[in-house]
Amino acid sequence: MFTTTVPPKARPSGPEAVIITVVVLFVTVLILTGMKPVNALLVTGSASLFGALAVRACTTTKLNALLRPAMVELRAASS
C-alpha cells in the first residue's frame, strides 16, 4: 500500500506575516476609497519595492561604514 503524506504548508513568519497584512490592508483601503484595483496594486507594489530598496541601502556595509562616525557623534552628544 502507498502512504502519502502531505507536507505541511510553510506559513509566513512574524515579520513576513505583518508585512503581508499591511500590504493587503493598504490595497483594500485604496480600493475602498475609489482607486481602481490595478492602480492600487501598482502603487502598493512600487511603494513596497522602494521601501525594500531603502532598507537594503541602509543595511549595506558601505553605508554603515559611512554612518558609523556620525552615530558615534550623536551618541556622544546625547549623553
Side-chain angles (χ1 to χ4, degrees):
M1 286 285 156
F2 293 109
T3 58
T4 59
T5 58
V6 177
K9 282 189 174 182
R11 299 191 72 186
S13 63
E16 292 170 350
V18 170
I19 291 170
I20 292 169
T21 304
V22 169
V23 168
V24 168
L25 288 174
F26 190 63
V27 169
T28 305
V29 168
L30 288 176
I31 291 171
L32 290 176
T33 56
M35 187 177 278
K36 292 181 181 177
V38 173
N39 290 341
L41 288 173
L42 286 173
V43 166
T44 308
S46 298
S48 299
L49 179 63
F50 286 124
L53 289 174
V55 168
R56 177 71 178 165
C58 291
T59 56
T60 305
T61 38
K62 289 181 182 179
L63 187 59
N64 283 339
L66 290 173
L67 293 176
R68 190 171 293 123
M71 293 302 291
V72 170
E73 286 184 33
L74 282 174
R75 288 185 189 132
S78 65
S79 56

